[in-house]
Structure formats: C-alpha cells, structure tokens
Amino acid sequence: MAAPNVAVVGAGVIGLSTALCITETCPRCSVTVLSDQFSPNTTSDVAAGMLIPHTYPGTPIHVQKQWFKETFSYLFAISNSAEASEAGIHLVSGWQIFKNTHKEELPFWSDVVLGFRTMSEAELQKFPQHQFGQAFTTLKCDCPPYLLWLEKRLKAAGIQIYTRKVADLWELHRDYDIVVNCTGIGARQLLGDEKLFPIRGQVLKVHAPWVKNFIRDGDGLTYIYPGIDRVTLGGTREKENWSLSPDPDTTKDIFERCCSLEPSLRGAQDIKVKVGLRPSRPAVRLEREVLRQGECKLGVVHNYGHGSGGFSVHRGTAKEAARLVGECIAALQGSSSKAKL
Ligand code: FAD
C-alpha cells in the first residue's frame, strides 16, 4: 500500500499535538492539517494552560491519570530543555485553597504533580478567608507560544498545513485515507454531537511580573496563574453560553475576586480580556469510526471534547489517537491485500 494520506482537522492544542504524534509513530504517513482557524484565534489560545486536570465523569479515572501522566512527562522534559522558553513551558508552584475544611480524598493527580502536600498553618495565613489548602508544583503552557512551537515542529516534519473549513468529514474521502477529527466545539456543528456543549470562560491577561505563585480557589472559579510574560486571572464557567463577547461586569467581578486573594494585583497593568468556549462533554470522544457511502469507506478517528482540561491531557490523548490511526492503517492494509487476492 502507498503511504497513507491522513488529514487532521483542527489546529488547536489537540489537532496540532495529534498531528505531531501521528508523524512520530507513523513516519511514512503523509499528514495534512486542515483548519478554519489557527493561533491566535482558537479556544486553545485563550486557555491558561495550567496542568491541573479536570475530571471527566464518563472516562475511567485510571485512563485520565494515564493521559495526564504522559502529558506531564512530555512537558516536563521540554521545561528541562533549551526549548523551554520558545515553547512557553515552565514549572510553577502555588496553592489550591478551600473555604471549608476539605474531607475529600487526595485528587487522582496528586502523585503526578511535584511535591503535593497539605499547606501549613503559616502558609494559610496568606488567605484569611480559607481554612485548608494544598501546595504543589506543576507545569504551565503559555498557550500561543506553545501552539506556534507545535506548528513549527509540524512544518519541520514536512506536514502540509492549509486553511479550510470542513462542512462534512465525507468531503475529504477522495483525497485522504484517514481523517482525524480534532475540531473541539466545532464538532457540535460538524457532527451534530448533542453531548458536546460550550462552557464559556472569560479571563483577563495582565502584566504583573511580581506575581510568581499560582493561587486557585478550590471551586475552580477564581484563579491566578502566572505565565512567562502575563498572569491569567479567572474566571467564569457558563454552561451553554455561546457568546464570545467579553462582558465588562464580569471583567470587574473577576478582577475583584482575584484581588481579594492577591491584593498586589491592584497594581496590574495592561489588562486584556479574552473569551473562549470550552468543548465540554461527559467523556472525551476518543474512538474510531468507519463512515460508509455505498461501497466507499472512510476511516475516522475522533479526538475532541476535552472541556476544561485539554492542555492537561493533550499529549496522552494525542498518543491514543495516533495509536487508533495505526489501527485504521492496519485495517486498510488488510483490505488492500484482500483486494489483490
Ligand atoms: P480548539 O482550540 O477550539 O481547536 C479546535 C480547532 O478546530 C480550531 O483550530 C478550529 O478552527 C478548528 N475547527 C473547528 N471546526 C472546524 C471545521 N468544521 N473545519 C475546519 N476546522 C475546524 N485547559 C487546561 O488543561 N488548563 C487550563 O488552565 C485551561 N484553562 C482554560 C481557560 C479558559 C478560559 C478556557 C476557555 C479553556 C481552558 N482550558 C484549559 C481548556 C482548553 O482550552 C481546551 O480543553 C482546549 O483548548 C481544547 O482544544 P481543542 O484543540 O480541542 O479546541
């Protein structure tokens, strides 16, 4: 069989990392990325990019942990290399704090991040309204630089990248043997997947270089995540809200909530407001499907629906999607050798 032609649809963190994993696991594949938007205009550009997993109720915890571990190890190696600043990857330490004494078991990811421990009474004095907290070190992606770094790696591997809106995956069947669907919230329109819904997030990106530690209120709504150049202040989680327009009242509310945790933010400068739609689903859709029209077949691998945690698990899900592409290739090879008999 000739080199399989693979189209990856979508150029957010999921599409770009999946395309990269496919070239790494199947160097003889000819991979093309097709997307209607690229960085800086994707949801992935808006994200804070912190490696603190979200929990998907429909995916077994051991699978989510594996995805997180693979992503953490991959980015940890980058953070420890000469590529770190160009890729926008760095370690960051800080606190997750709770207003009530926390009785929950340790989070499933507590032994993947570094130095996870309960905060001391002395540390908690920084947060007089909170009673309990956890301290740890994790990784953060500065999202636009990381997406550009992935794009650069793809181009260096000879991958073609085109701007194109795909109205129906079947339209790709003449030119490609396998299609990988990484369209994020776009899959709602593309496939009519009603399990997929937006959770709107508004954040502020501010200049406050003195803020070095992350602070996350345990409910996940208020957070301060320092990056290399900007600090991300959040946030909101508005289910089924499709609006991409920033709301000025929400901006004030986010700023006040963050200042109540870190009063020095009152001196923050150059406040930029961003909005993104988290592609949420009870479980990430990571599976093979065969589309059929008459005698014609098209192998599809879906990899979308990462909701609030796409950065935290992207490398793990990309590796699994690349493995599924390998299965599609094996199926194609099986059918082409049968055709020759
Ligand atoms: P996207 O980035 O939306 O990419 C989808 C791509 O598909 C785009 O390029 C789009 O143009 C393309 N596309 C869609 N439809 C079509 C079509 N029909 N034809 C062609 N192309 C198409 N996650 C974390 O892990 N940590 C965080 O700290 C974090 N913070 C966040 C903060 C906010 C405010 C938000 C909104 C999200 C946050 N997330 C975070 C979640 C994370 O951003 C998402 O899970 C992740 O970006 C999803 O990536 P994606 O590639 O699936 O989607």
Side-chain angles (χ1 to χ4, degrees), residues 10-11 14 35-37 43-44 47-50 164 166 307-312:
I14 302 303
S35 189
D36 61 346
Q37 297 291 340
T43 305
S44 300
M50 282 292 281
R164 170 167 168 182
V166 176
S308 307
F311 277 86
S312 305

Side-chain angles (χ1 to χ4, degrees), residues 9-15 34-38 41-52 56 164-167 182-187 189-190 199-203 223 225 236 274-279 303-313:
V9 186
V13 70
I14 302 303
L34 306 170
S35 189
D36 61 346
Q37 297 291 340
F38 290 87
N41 300 316
T42 68
T43 305
S44 300
D45 287 279
V46 176
M50 282 292 281
L51 265 73
I52 301 180
Y56 305 100
R164 170 167 168 182
K165 181 162 175 97
V166 176
C182 304
T183 51
I185 196 66
Q189 192 185 8
L190 184 61
I199 298 189
R200 180 182 181 278
Q202 181 165 324
V203 288
Y223 49 82
Y225 292 148
T236 65
K274 304 271 179 196
V275 176
L277 305 179
R278 300 175 179 92
N303 186 13
Y304 68 85
H306 296 69
S308 307
F311 277 86
S312 305
V313 295

Side-chain angles (χ1 to χ4, degrees), residues 90-273:
H90 61 105
L91 286 164
V92 57
S93 300
W95 306 285
Q96 168 159 267
I97 49 176
F98 298 86
K99 291 216 167 73
N100 299 315
T101 309
H102 197 59
K103 293 210 179 75
E104 204 184 289
E105 288 170 22
L106 291 177
F108 72 82
W109 42 266
S110 61
D111 60 347
V112 180
V113 297
L114 309 176
F116 187 95
R117 60 176 173 80
T118 299
M119 281 168 73
S120 67
E121 287 301 319
E123 283 172 302
L124 272 170
Q125 282 177 18
K126 178 165 170 58
F127 306 106
Q129 292 164 7
H130 293 76
Q131 292 192 10
F132 176 81
Q134 296 153 339
F136 55 95
T137 298
T138 188
L139 287 151
K140 182 179 178 313
C141 305
D142 274 18
C143 302
Y146 183 55
L147 296 175
L148 292 180
W149 182 83
L150 287 171
E151 263 188 56
K152 196 171 148 188
R153 306 252 323 197
L154 291 175
K155 286 178 185 156
I159 288 180
Q160 306 289 314
I161 300 184
Y162 297 114
T163 303
R164 170 167 168 182
K165 181 162 175 97
V166 176
D168 183 337
L169 294 179
W170 188 257
E171 76 189 46
L172 302 173
H173 90 278
R174 281 188 201 288
D175 298 320
Y176 299 97
D177 302 303
I178 298 158
V179 173
V180 187
N181 171 22
C182 304
T183 51
I185 196 66
R188 172 84 172 246
Q189 192 185 8
L190 184 61
L191 308 176
D193 179 347
E194 299 214 335
K195 287 189 185 152
L196 183 68
F197 57 92
I199 298 189
R200 180 182 181 278
Q202 181 165 324
V203 288
L204 318 183
K205 307 259 175 176
V206 308
H207 186 67
W210 59 88
V211 176
K212 304 288 187 204
N213 293 100
F214 76 80
I215 304 170
R216 179 180 195 269
D217 202 315
D219 62 9
L221 206 58
T222 305
Y223 49 82
I224 298 165
Y225 292 148
I228 294 172
D229 295 319
R230 319 276 301 175
V231 184
T232 303
L233 311 184
T236 65
R237 289 179 195 273
E238 301 157 72
K239 210 172 162 182
E240 292 286 0
N241 184 339
W242 288 87
S243 170
L244 282 169
S245 307
D247 175 62
D249 289 338
T250 305
T251 300
K252 279 189 208 140
D253 178 50
I254 292 171
F255 191 69
E256 288 306 320
R257 280 190 273 131
C258 289
C259 286
S260 78
L261 294 179
E262 179 53 67
S264 72
L265 281 169
R266 297 240 173 250
Q269 307 256 308
D270 191 20
I271 299 173
K272 295 202 165 58
V273 187

